[in-house]
Amino acid sequence: MRARCLIVDDEAPARADLRYLLSRFDHVQVVGEASNSEEALLLLDSLDYDLVLMDIRMPGGTGLDIARKLREAANPPRIIFTTAFPDYAVEAFDLDAADYLVKPFDADRLARALDRALATRAEEAEVQPVPKRSDGSEPPHRIPVHKGDRTVLLNESSIIYAGAARGYSYLQLSDERVLVNFSLNELERRLRGAQFFRAHRSYLVNLDYVRELAPDFRGTLMLLMDDPRKSRVEVSRRQARELRRVLGL
């Protein structure tokens, strides 16, 4: 299921640039555009969006004003601010922005923002024991992935990290990202190796691939992964202390 996205920017070239960048992501669909805050609020009232990419300074009201109103909604979309002005970042994150992109930015930076923005907010389910076979033994540590009419069994050692986005979960491998039919909680129960750590409600990380721990400017940690994509995985404040304990830091 593709995430429905609204672009809000008063400059037509900027909207066109965002449409072009977003066209590279199969899991996101642009279904609306607005050039000012009035148009944006009208569109947001008429359709449930998953994601809003929004400028800060616009005629008739700012993107921050829109974000304040969206906080009152029952199921608000995630907001990524896209602006030429870096000085509103603190206020944006105080309004629960998923990310803050300063123009110009590239597709790789946008990809990280989309991953963060579309991460599920579903509450973590109570951990259940892994089911055993009829002979009492545990199933092998492998994850089935459907590829067309085939089912491929992945060894857990090939998984760099697992992520949860709105409506699906995925596994990041060295050369591709594959969708799976399991929730992140189910994946956590299946991936029982000591090297897997729940870094965030939306990320399960293979610690064998962690290259560096970097502080985030919001006061959290970011894991820099040792993979061809140079992936970056967020660690929640709640899990940062536990991760340091696990790593002996």
Side-chain angles (χ1 to χ4, degrees):
M1 186 175 180
R2 301 174 73 186
R4 290 177 292 192
C5 177
L6 173 65
I7 295 174
V8 185
D9 198 300
D10 62 318
E11 297 183 359
R15 296 196 302 272
D17 288 343
L18 280 175
R19 278 200 312 274
Y20 172 73
L21 286 175
L22 289 167
S23 68
R24 305 185 184 189
F25 303 97
D26 294 336
H27 62 298
V28 176
Q29 180 181 16
V30 177
V31 295
E33 292 186 21
S35 60
N36 56 57
S37 59
E38 183 179 359
E39 291 179 1
L41 290 172
L42 182 63
L43 290 173
L44 287 163
D45 284 339
S46 63
L47 183 66
D48 289 331
Y49 290 90
D50 301 301
L51 179 66
V52 180
L53 269 64
M54 186 159 55
D55 195 8
I56 295 284
R57 297 184 181 178
M58 296 178 293
T62 69
L64 297 172
D65 295 331
I66 297 173
R68 290 189 189 95
K69 293 184 178 182
L70 287 177
R71 295 184 77 182
E72 302 171 2
N75 186 30
R78 301 306 309 274
I79 297 174
I80 298 174
F81 283 103
T82 58
T83 177
F85 304 98
D87 41 328
Y88 296 98
V90 173
E91 190 172 357
F93 284 118
D94 283 343
L95 293 171
D96 298 326
D99 213 329
Y100 192 96
L101 306 186
V102 178
K103 302 172 184 176
F105 51 85
D106 58 18
D108 288 340
R109 180 66 183 90
L110 179 58
R112 297 197 297 271
L114 292 174
D115 284 346
R116 177 180 296 175
L118 294 176
T120 183
R121 291 186 174 185
E123 294 184 359
E124 295 182 12
E126 183 179 354
V127 176
Q128 302 293 330
V130 177
K132 295 189 176 183
R133 296 173 175 176
S134 58
D135 62 1
S137 64
E138 293 184 342
H141 298 194
R142 298 173 69 174
I143 303 298
V145 175
H146 299 291
K147 292 189 174 184
D149 58 354
R150 299 179 298 131
T151 299
V152 179
L153 297 177
L154 295 179
N155 288 318
E156 62 179 23
S157 60
S158 67
I159 299 170
I160 297 170
Y161 68 89
R166 188 182 293 264
Y168 67 90
S169 298
Y170 62 87
L171 304 177
Q172 181 63 55
L173 311 178
S174 63
D175 56 350
E176 63 178 332
R177 175 176 293 185
V178 295
L179 300 182
V180 291
N181 294 326
F182 305 106
S183 70
L184 202 61
N185 293 309
E186 291 172 320
L187 286 171
E188 186 176 14
R189 293 194 291 270
R190 286 173 171 266
L191 298 172
R192 301 178 308 284
Q195 75 270 29
F196 284 94
F197 179 80
R198 189 68 174 262
H200 189 281
R201 66 169 54 187
S202 303
Y203 296 109
L204 180 64
V205 176
N206 188 339
L207 295 178
D208 288 345
Y209 286 94
V210 174
R211 176 171 55 86
E212 184 179 340
L213 279 69
D216 187 82
F217 66 91
R218 296 176 301 164
T220 59
L221 284 177
M222 194 69 66
L223 300 181
L224 309 184
M225 309 302 291
D226 189 13
D227 69 305
R229 296 178 75 248
K230 294 181 171 58
S231 301
R232 299 167 65 91
V233 177
E234 183 180 1
V235 182
S236 70
R237 288 185 176 90
R238 179 181 178 182
Q239 291 296 88
R241 180 179 298 178
E242 176 64 13
L243 177 60
R244 289 189 175 97
R245 186 193 68 78
V246 169
L247 296 177
L249 300 177

